[in-house]
Amino acid sequence: EIGLTRKMSKTPKIKLIIRQATLHDVPQLNDLVNSAYRLPGGWTGEHNLISGDRISKEELTEILTQSKIKLYVAQKEEDETICGCFCIKPTAIEGEVEFGMISVYPNMQSSGVGSFLISSAFEIAKTTFSANKAVLTVIHKRKELLAWYYKIGFVATSETRDFPTNHGEAPIVKGDDIHFIVLKKDLLP
């Protein structure tokens, strides 16, 4: 347990705890990430752009057994239900980390869980990874999500990355030209 426990402002009855994910969490994480990214219902999903699973149980297991990538979950304090996750890994640039797989169940989106996740990620990046800069990638067609990241201080760089089509069972891209925009944010005032 990381020690980040706080009441979320938009849903005052829910207390969330951030802790590092374990192999025991793989089935629920698989459901969470694939629901958040590929099912309709939430405002952050990719279901209109991409079909197929976002991640497999095997890929999650691989992430959890790597020493450089750390995967964290947000769970409800009262019943330990996982409702969100994110991962952090150092980049090749000293003091810089990359956030990924930021996921909230669609039925909990717009309730403050995502804000809780990202503020927790900022805190962990600074205290655990000694980071002063955060990086993340967003599919360029996800305008609402990009707007949210801009609102919390991320800035688009000139860098783009190709959408991966060579991992596991490749997702099916609906349409042309899917790529990532690289966003960065300074973590120090």
Side-chain angles (χ1 to χ4, degrees):
E1 200 170 295
I2 304 302
L4 300 176
T5 306
R6 40 192 147 159
K7 219 182 252 190
M8 295 180 349
S9 60
K10 292 185 181 181
T11 51
K13 294 180 182 176
I14 297 175
K15 271 191 169 178
L16 294 178
I17 297 170
I18 296 291
R19 66 170 174 79
Q20 200 163 331
T22 67
L23 290 172
H24 177 75
D25 298 320
V26 167
Q28 194 171 357
L29 283 168
N30 185 255
D31 182 62
L32 165 66
V33 174
N34 287 317
S35 295
Y37 280 85
R38 301 292 161 74
L39 290 182
W43 67 273
T44 65
E46 304 168 340
H47 65 278
N48 61 329
L49 302 171
I50 304 158
S51 63
D53 284 345
R54 164 66 171 78
I55 197 159
S56 69
K57 290 178 184 175
E58 293 76 22
E59 289 169 313
L60 281 164
T61 299
E62 186 177 321
I63 288 169
L64 288 170
T65 56
Q66 291 182 19
S67 61
K68 290 188 178 186
I69 301 174
K70 300 297 179 202
L71 181 56
Y72 298 91
V73 296
Q75 69 180 34
K76 294 179 185 177
E77 185 178 57
E78 67 273 7
D79 64 7
E80 299 184 355
T81 302
I82 294 173
C83 55
C85 71
F86 60 90
C87 67
I88 301 177
K89 68 177 179 178
T91 70
I93 299 171
E94 187 173 337
E96 183 179 271
V97 293
E98 184 166 351
F99 294 163
M101 219 170 9
I102 302 167
S103 306
V104 177
Y105 272 113
N107 66 343
M108 295 197 75
Q109 291 178 10
S110 299
S111 70
V113 175
S115 295
F116 177 79
L117 287 176
I118 201 75
S119 65
S120 300
F122 292 154
E123 189 172 329
I124 292 167
K126 290 186 284 190
T127 58
T128 303
F129 291 84
S130 301
N132 56 31
K133 189 174 292 278
V135 177
L136 56 80
T137 59
V138 177
I139 293 175
H140 76 288
K141 293 183 177 185
R142 297 180 69 191
K143 302 300 181 195
E144 299 89 359
L145 189 56
L146 283 165
W148 188 77
Y149 283 121
Y150 296 151
K151 181 179 164 186
I152 62 169
F154 280 90
V155 177
T157 68
S158 58
E159 184 183 353
T160 61
R161 295 184 188 164
D162 292 334
F163 184 82
T165 55
N166 61 349
H167 71 283
E169 292 196 25
I172 299 168
V173 176
K174 301 174 183 178
D176 300 337
D177 186 35
I178 297 282
H179 64 272
F180 292 110
I181 295 175
V182 178
L183 307 176
K184 292 193 177 189
K185 175 181 171 59
D186 288 327
L187 298 177
L188 303 178

